[in-house]
């Protein structure tokens, strides 16, 4: 019976891996495949035996990671012992979580176990020295961006471009009117939704982001509303996780106390729906910027981190941009206002520029449409085919 060990450290990785495991099981030669490792409910629904709860690895931020580090190291040591002993797999699949998985993969590969890594670390953006560890750890890298394949092949690492999973989950053409109708069903208090400008505001999914950038985003709202000469815009905010809602609700109430004419609405989740319904997006740098690009939305990217963190990141970075839309397009197609530039007046001006220039928006949508087609691949099937080939070789 073939055996596959997998490790995912985040809910997003759990979801990505589950679709690939489902596709793998449909390949006739993999009937009876035994799967174990660390995964969440989606991977477990596909038959994975999770030896530890995935939540052990799901930590965000330096402080949280340091607190959890002893536990994470114990789990990794125990996992390696199992995979080199009684539960030795035919192939190992690491899903993202490079700080954890590369260490596991290096040990397994040195013991002759083929290792596949799904989602390349962003060595093209920062910490490029990791390529040396990847050379020692990974037999086959599965890349989600087209340009990554050449980087790994130049380093002597097998690589396959499998596309970005988001590109397949988001339709090629957004339906704005339908999205707004669905928003109205969720919140009947929305007024003038069919005629007003809708501004999606995505301040991030971490406590640190809510603390550092969300207050600036909320302060931008009345400034933009004042600059718009037409009807007051509607601001819609997807709350990425329940524990973030109290802080966002407090910021909302503070703004409405001073500017009661504003419409500011919070939704639990619904990021895709809100992006589809939006005219323009104010967004914290991260994966969500690619999500906004695939919905073909003009956006303003912003971010703030503590000064020392910014200096470290600046010294490790190689590109002039941080937003994925700009990185993938190879130029500043959308503005980035970071650190000291992240000011309400400047953010509002950049948002207003999109709202007042429909020709620029149309050109951007066309650019994002080309990008969407490039990233849209049968990702789960391509991942499954690589895994099936590795398993058949065993």
């Amino acid at each position: 019976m073939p055996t596959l060990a997998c490790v995912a450290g985040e809910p997003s990785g759990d979801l990505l891996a589950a679709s690939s495991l489902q596709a793998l099981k449909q390949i006739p030669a993999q009937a009876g495949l035994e799967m174990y490792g660390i995964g969440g409910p989606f991977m477990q629904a596909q038959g994975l035996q999770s030896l530890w709860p995935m939540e052990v690895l799901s930590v965000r931020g330096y402080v949280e990671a340091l607190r959890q580090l002893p536990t994470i190291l114990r789990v990794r040591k125990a996992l390696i012992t199992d995979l080199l002993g009684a539960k030795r797999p035919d192939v190992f699949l690491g899903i993202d979580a490079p700080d954890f998985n590369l260490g596991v993969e290096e040990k397994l590969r040195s013991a002759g176990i083929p290792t596949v890594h799904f989602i390349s670390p962003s060595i093209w953006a920062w910490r490029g020295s990791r390529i040396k560890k990847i050379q020692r750890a990974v037999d086959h890298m599965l890349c989600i961006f087209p340009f990554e394949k050449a980087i790994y092949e130049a380093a002597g690492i097998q690589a396959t471009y499998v596309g970005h999973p988001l590109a397949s989950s988001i339709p090629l053409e957004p339906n704005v009117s339908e999205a707004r109708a669905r928003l109205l069903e969720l919140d009947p208090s929305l007024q003038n939704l069919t005629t007003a400008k809708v501004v999606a505001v995505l301040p991030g999914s971490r406590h640190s982001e809510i603390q550092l950038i969300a207050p600036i985003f909320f302060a931008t709202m009345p400034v933009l509303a004042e600059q718009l000469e037409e009807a007051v815009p509607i601001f819609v905010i997807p709350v990425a996780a329940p524990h973030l809602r109290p802080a966002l609700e407090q910021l909302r109430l503070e703004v409405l106390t001073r500017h009661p004419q504003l419409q500011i609405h919070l939704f639990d989740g619904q990021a895709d729906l809100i992006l589809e319904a939006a005219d323009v997006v104010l967004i914290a740098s991260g994966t969500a910027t690619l999500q906004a690009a695939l919905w073909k939305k003009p956006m303003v990217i912003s971010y703030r981190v503590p000064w020392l963190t910014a200096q470290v990141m600046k010294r490790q970075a190689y590109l002039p941009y941080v937003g994925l839309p700009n990185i993938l397009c190879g130029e500043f197609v959308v503005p980035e206002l970071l650190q000291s530039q992240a000011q309400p007046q400047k953010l509002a001006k950049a948002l207003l520029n999109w709202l007042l220039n429909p020709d620029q928006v149309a050109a951007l949508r066309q650019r994002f449409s080309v990008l969407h087609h490039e990233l849209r691949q049968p990702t789960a099937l391509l991942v499954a085919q690589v895994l099936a080939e590795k398993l058949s070789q065993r």
Side-chain angles (χ1 to χ4, degrees), residues 264-286:
I264 306 174
H265 299 262
L266 302 181
F267 290 83
D268 293 325
Q270 304 296 338
D272 279 309
L273 183 60
I274 286 171
L275 286 170
E276 186 175 14
D279 290 296
V280 68
V281 181
L282 177 60
I283 190 166
S285 177

Side-chain angles (χ1 to χ4, degrees), residues 80-385:
I80 291 170
T81 299
D82 279 352
L83 297 184
L84 291 178
K87 299 191 79 67
R88 183 184 178 97
D90 292 313
V91 177
F92 177 85
L93 172 65
I95 303 99
D96 208 3
D99 290 330
F100 184 92
N101 276 326
L102 289 177
V104 176
E105 290 159 0
E106 186 173 3
K107 293 288 187 181
L108 298 187
R109 187 168 186 247
S110 67
I113 298 172
T115 58
V116 180
H117 193 92
F118 183 22
I119 300 186
S120 158
S122 303
I123 57 172
W124 36 265
W126 71 309
R127 290 177 65 192
S129 60
R130 284 182 294 177
I131 191 68
K132 296 178 181 178
K133 184 167 188 176
I134 294 171
Q135 285 174 319
R136 299 192 302 269
V138 177
D139 282 300
H140 202 121
M141 180 65 74
L142 301 175
C143 306
I144 60 173
F145 297 130
F147 61 84
E148 293 176 324
K149 187 174 185 290
I151 296 173
Y152 287 102
E153 289 180 341
I157 302 167
Q158 276 189 301
T160 300
Y161 170 56
V162 299
H164 200 292
L166 272 179
S168 295
S169 65
I170 294 175
L172 293 171
E173 293 294 334
N175 189 328
V176 175
S177 59
E178 181 179 319
R180 292 189 181 188
R182 289 165 60 196
L183 276 183
L184 191 58
E185 290 177 3
L186 293 173
D187 186 354
S189 69
L190 284 162
Q191 301 174 16
N192 304 318
L193 188 59
T194 58
T195 57
K197 296 297 184 184
V198 176
V199 183
V201 180
L202 284 76
S205 58
R206 304 179 184 183
H207 271 302
S208 59
E209 292 167 335
I210 301 305
Q211 292 170 347
L212 291 169
I213 197 68
I216 299 167
F217 281 11
F218 276 84
T220 301
M221 296 177 191
V223 178
L224 178 61
E226 184 179 350
Q227 292 178 355
L228 271 175
E229 297 178 357
E230 52 188 84
V232 176
I234 299 173
F235 298 96
V236 285
I237 306 161
V239 181
H243 67 274
L244 301 176
R245 189 176 184 99
L248 292 171
E249 186 65 49
Q250 180 63 35
L251 289 168
R252 173 181 175 271
L253 292 175
E254 289 174 1
V255 173
L256 290 178
T257 299
R258 298 189 298 272
H259 306 277
Q261 80 282 7
L262 293 183
Q263 283 198 69
I264 306 174
H265 299 262
L266 302 181
F267 290 83
D268 293 325
Q270 304 296 338
D272 279 309
L273 183 60
I274 286 171
L275 286 170
E276 186 175 14
D279 290 296
V280 68
V281 181
L282 177 60
I283 190 166
S285 177
T287 304
T289 60
L290 177 60
Q291 199 175 352
L294 293 172
W295 284 112
K296 322 297 186 298
K297 299 300 175 177
M299 73 190 83
V300 177
I301 298 172
S302 188
Y303 210 72
R304 270 195 180 182
V305 295
W307 181 86
L308 183 58
T309 300
Q311 297 309 304
V312 172
M313 293 176 69
K314 186 176 181 180
R315 284 167 171 75
Q316 293 181 332
Y318 311 122
L319 301 175
Y321 10 73
V322 301
L324 281 171
N326 293 332
I327 291 170
L328 292 170
C329 291
E331 61 178 304
F332 282 103
V333 295
V334 299
E336 297 180 1
L337 296 171
L338 314 174
Q339 294 301 100
S340 62
Q341 295 297 307
Q343 301 172 18
Q345 288 288 345
K346 292 184 177 182
L347 295 172
K349 182 179 179 181
L351 291 167
L352 185 65
N353 183 65
W354 286 124
L355 293 173
L356 298 181
N357 290 281
D359 290 343
Q360 292 182 18
V361 172
L364 182 71
R365 286 175 179 159
Q366 180 59 36
R367 188 74 179 272
F368 284 163
S369 181
V370 172
L371 176 63
H372 198 158
H373 282 279
E374 290 176 350
L375 297 178
R376 195 179 177 93
Q377 304 290 329
T379 302
L381 177 60
L382 293 173
V383 172
Q385 287 174 341

